[in-house]
Amino acid sequence: MNMSDQRAVSPHVLIFPLPLQGPVNCMLKLAELLCLSKIQVTFLNTQQIQERLRINSAGADVYFKRYPNFRFETVPDGLPEDNPRTGDQIGHLLESMDAVAVPIFRGMVTSGGEYGPGSENQVTCIIADGIFTFAAGIAAEIGVPLLYFDTISPCGLWTYLCLPELIEAGEFPFKDDNLDEMIRNAPGMEGIIRRRDLPSFYRTNDVNDRIIQLVLKEDKHIPLAQGLIFNTFQELEAPILAQMLSVCPNIYAVGPLHAHLKTRLAAETCPGVQPTTSCNSIRREDSSCISWLDAQPSKSVIYVSIGSVAMITTDQLFEIWHGLVNSGSRFLWVRRPGSVTGLDPETTKEIPSELSLGTKERGYIVSWAPQEEVLAHPAIGGFLTHSGWNSTLESIVEGKPMICWPYFVDQQVNSRYVGEVWKLGLDMKDTCDRVVVEKMIREVMELRKNEFLQRADEMAKLAKASVSEGGSSYADLDRLILDIKFMKIPTTWK
C-alpha cells in the first residue's frame, strides 16, 4: 500500500495484546484513547480472554458500545481449556499461539482477508505486544506501519535489549553465585542494577534456554517497528527512554494510561461529572473490600496483591501471613484462587490461631479486588506488590509507597527502581521471611511513613501532570493520534 492509497482510506488500527490480564487491561485503555479520537480500532483477543472478560466484566462490552468505531475479534490460543495460563505457562502459550493463532491473524489482515489491503475495513496500522515477533513480517507483507507496545516497564525492557551485549561481554551467564555483583554493560543503568535485579530469566546458565532464545529473538525484531509505545512518563524514566532512542527513534511515552484515560474522558463529559471508566478485569472483583476500607482510619491499611499470574508456595503464604499479622498493621489481602502451589485444601484447617485471630481483628481477604479504586482509597497507606508494571504505575499515581516482592520478567527491575532510583518504597526480592515482612511493613507504615509518603506524593503530582494538557504524555499521545490519523508513520522496512 503506497501513501496515496493510504490517504484514500480511513485510519484503522488493529491492536493485538499478549493474552494476560496486565497487557490486555493496558492495551484496552490505549484502544479507548484512540477511539475517543475517532480512530477505528479492532482489538484482537484470544477466545479464552474474551470469554473471561464477558463473564467477569459484564460492563466491558456494554461500555465499548459507546464507541461505534470499536470492535473485538478473537482467535484461539491453542491451549487446552484447563490450562491455568499462569506465569509458568507463558512459554507454552507463545508456542501454541505461533502454531494456532498467528496463521488466523495473518489471514485476517493479508490479501483476501476481512481486514486486508483493498477491503472496506483494511488495517492501516498494527499495534502489537513486543513479544509478538511475527507481527513485523505480517506488517511488512501488507505494507502498513507496525508499532510495538511492550506493556512492561521501559527499564525492564531495556534489560531485555541489553542481553546480547551482556552475553558478548561475558557478564551472562553469571560466572558465580554472587547475585549482588553490579552489571557493567547495561548503558544508563551503571551503579543501579545488580545481577539479582535483572529479569528472572537471567538466572539460568544455559544460553539456549527457551526463554533466553525468545528474548534474543524479540531483541532482533523490536528495532523493525516504526515506533515504540510505552506506558510510562518522561519524568519517571527519561534516562531509559533516551537509551531507547538508539533502538527506535520514534518513541511515544503516553502513560500512566489508566490516569491518562480518565483525563481525556473528563474532557468529554460535563463539568463536575466524574468520568466512567470500564472494568477490564478478567477476574470477578469483590467490591465488599471497599466497604471494609471505608471503616478504617486514614493511611492505616497495607494492601497486598501478587497480581494476576504470579505464584507462591504454601511456605511463602504463611511467612507473608505471619509478617502481616505480627506487624500490627491493618491489611487488605488479595488471595487469587489457584495462586498457591501445592496448597492442600486441608491446610485451611491447620491455620495457627494467632493468624486467624489477627486476620479477624485487623485483616480482610478477598479473591480479587478493584485495584485502582483500592489504591485510591484514603485508608490505604502502602502496597505490598509483585511489582507488575500496571500495579507500580497505579501505586505511583495514587501516591502509595510500595514494598516490592517481584515474581518474574520485568518485576525484578521495577522493584530495584522503586527502592533505589525513585525512592518510593522498599525492595524485598529474593527473601520471604516473616521477620523481614514485618520489619518492612513497620518501616513503610510507621517508622519511615512520612518520608515515603512525601516522596510518593511528589511523584504522584508529576505523574498526573504528565497526562494533563501540556504534559509530556499528553503531548506524546496527541502526536501518536496525529501520526496514525494522517498516516505520517513511514513504512520503510529496515
Side-chain angles (χ1 to χ4, degrees):
M1 193 191 303
N2 62 40
M3 293 303 284
S4 60
D5 292 335
Q6 278 191 323
R7 288 195 183 94
V9 298
S10 300
H12 179 189
V13 177
L14 186 140
I15 299 179
F16 197 173
L18 181 66
L20 298 171
Q21 168 78 71
V24 168
N25 184 24
C26 190
M27 286 205 184
L28 276 171
K29 285 178 165 50
L30 178 65
E32 291 187 52
L33 284 162
L34 296 181
C35 286
L36 282 171
S37 294
K38 309 296 186 281
I39 292 172
Q40 185 182 348
V41 175
T42 296
F43 199 91
L44 188 58
N45 265 332
T46 60
Q47 291 165 356
Q48 192 262 355
I49 288 285
Q50 189 69 15
E51 179 62 11
R52 292 186 67 180
L53 273 176
R54 186 188 68 78
I55 294 169
N56 296 306
S57 306
D61 283 337
V62 174
Y63 184 72
F64 279 112
K65 282 176 184 171
R66 76 190 294 183
Y67 303 118
N69 50 340
F70 178 93
R71 70 185 297 179
F72 281 114
E73 288 285 357
T74 61
V75 288
D77 65 14
L79 288 174
E81 199 170 317
D82 61 354
N83 186 292
R85 294 165 175 84
T86 45
D88 54 347
Q89 296 293 317
I90 287 178
H92 297 298
L93 173 64
L94 291 168
E95 286 174 4
S96 179
M97 287 186 69
D98 269 342
V100 177
V102 174
I104 297 170
F105 168 56
R106 177 179 274 107
M108 288 169 65
V109 298
T110 52
S111 184
E114 185 179 357
Y115 303 116
S119 71
E120 189 179 335
N121 288 315
Q122 68 186 71
V123 166
T124 62
C125 178
I126 293 173
I127 297 177
D129 192 287
I131 207 163
F132 286 163
T133 53
F134 58 80
I138 293 173
E141 186 180 339
I142 61 175
V144 303
L146 168 67
L147 302 176
Y148 270 134
F149 182 7
D150 257 289
T151 58
I152 62 172
S153 62
C155 59
L157 180 63
W158 186 241
T159 61
Y160 284 43
L161 293 167
C162 289
L163 177 57
E165 198 172 339
L166 293 176
I167 292 172
E168 191 178 335
E171 284 199 78
F172 175 79
F174 305 150
K175 298 284 191 291
D176 53 49
D177 296 330
N178 178 17
L179 292 178
D180 289 319
E181 182 163 322
M182 283 289 177
I183 295 299
R184 298 180 300 279
N185 289 279
M189 292 180 157
E190 297 87 353
I192 297 170
I193 294 291
R194 307 160 297 180
R195 287 172 174 174
R196 74 169 69 252
D197 304 316
L198 288 170
S200 52
F201 56 75
Y202 272 95
R203 298 193 191 185
T204 175
N205 291 321
D206 182 11
V207 178
N208 294 311
D209 175 84
R210 180 173 62 178
I211 301 299
I212 293 291
Q213 288 301 311
L214 194 65
V215 171
L216 288 170
K217 187 177 180 183
E218 182 178 353
D219 290 346
K220 288 177 181 171
H221 281 76
I222 281 184
L224 298 178
Q226 280 73 57
L228 301 179
I229 301 171
F230 290 118
N231 186 18
T232 193
F233 55 105
Q234 283 287 344
E235 293 76 8
L236 186 69
E237 290 190 277
I240 295 301
L241 292 171
Q243 295 290 340
M244 286 287 181
L245 291 171
S246 65
V247 176
C248 177
N250 192 19
I251 285 176
Y252 307 92
V254 297
L257 275 167
H258 72 288
H260 204 154
L261 179 58
K262 286 173 187 171
T263 299
R264 302 270 177 156
L265 282 171
E268 298 276 316
T269 56
C270 300
V273 177
Q274 190 68 22
T276 307
T277 56
S278 59
C279 168
N280 300 328
S281 177
I282 62 173
R283 298 183 180 278
R284 178 72 67 185
E285 296 176 345
D286 183 348
S287 294
S288 68
C289 60
I290 301 299
S291 301
W292 182 81
L293 285 173
D294 289 342
Q296 310 308 315
S298 174
K299 301 282 194 295
S300 68
V301 178
I302 181 93
Y303 171 55
V304 185
S305 174
I306 60 165
S308 57
V309 295
M311 304 291 291
I312 62 172
T313 65
T314 308
D315 286 345
Q316 289 171 332
L317 171 78
F318 281 105
E319 290 301 310
I320 290 172
W321 204 344
H322 276 286
L324 285 168
V325 169
N326 295 345
S327 74
S329 269
R330 292 171 171 83
F331 59 91
L332 168 60
W333 192 358
V334 171
R335 293 225 304 246
R336 193 184 82 242
S339 61
V340 184
T341 56
L343 181 63
D344 186 337
E346 297 299 310
T347 304
T348 53
K349 296 177 183 176
E350 299 163 12
I351 296 169
S353 58
E354 67 269 21
L355 295 187
S356 298
L357 184 61
T359 302
K360 188 177 179 182
E361 288 177 348
R362 296 185 303 280
Y364 198 77
I365 298 173
V366 292
S367 59
W368 200 245
Q371 183 163 288
E372 285 181 42
E373 192 178 350
V374 166
L375 286 169
H377 199 284
I380 297 293
F383 184 11
L384 200 167
T385 171
H386 66 305
S387 294
W389 191 233
N390 283 349
S391 293
T392 302
L393 285 174
E394 287 162 13
S395 204
I396 286 172
V397 167
E398 300 303 339
K400 302 298 162 75
M402 288 166 267
I403 298 169
C404 301
W405 191 57
Y407 176 64
F408 73 158
V409 292
D410 64 322
Q411 295 161 14
Q412 276 79 7
V413 188
N414 301 343
S415 63
R416 179 63 167 175
Y417 267 72
V418 165
E420 188 70 16
V421 179
W422 304 323
K423 310 289 187 186
L424 296 172
L426 302 171
D427 187 357
M428 197 174 74
K429 69 163 59 81
D430 295 329
T431 183
C432 190
D433 176 276
R434 64 189 68 183
V435 175
V436 176
V437 174
E438 177 188 349
K439 178 176 178 291
M440 289 200 172
I441 292 173
R442 287 186 184 277
E443 273 198 65
V444 166
M445 300 297 288
E446 298 171 29
L447 304 175
R448 299 173 63 189
K449 180 177 183 175
N450 292 337
E451 170 196 340
F452 282 127
L453 283 173
Q454 183 181 344
R455 177 64 182 151
D457 184 58
E458 290 167 1
M459 190 61 81
K461 286 174 180 168
L462 291 174
K464 288 168 183 169
S466 75
V467 296
S468 300
E469 195 163 357
S472 59
S473 294
Y474 198 98
D476 265 18
L477 182 63
D478 277 351
R479 180 167 57 89
L480 173 63
I481 288 164
L482 286 173
D483 287 353
I484 290 172
K485 273 189 173 179
F486 296 102
M487 318 232 174
K488 289 181 178 177
I489 308 165
T491 52
T492 307
W493 291 87
K494 303 158 192 174

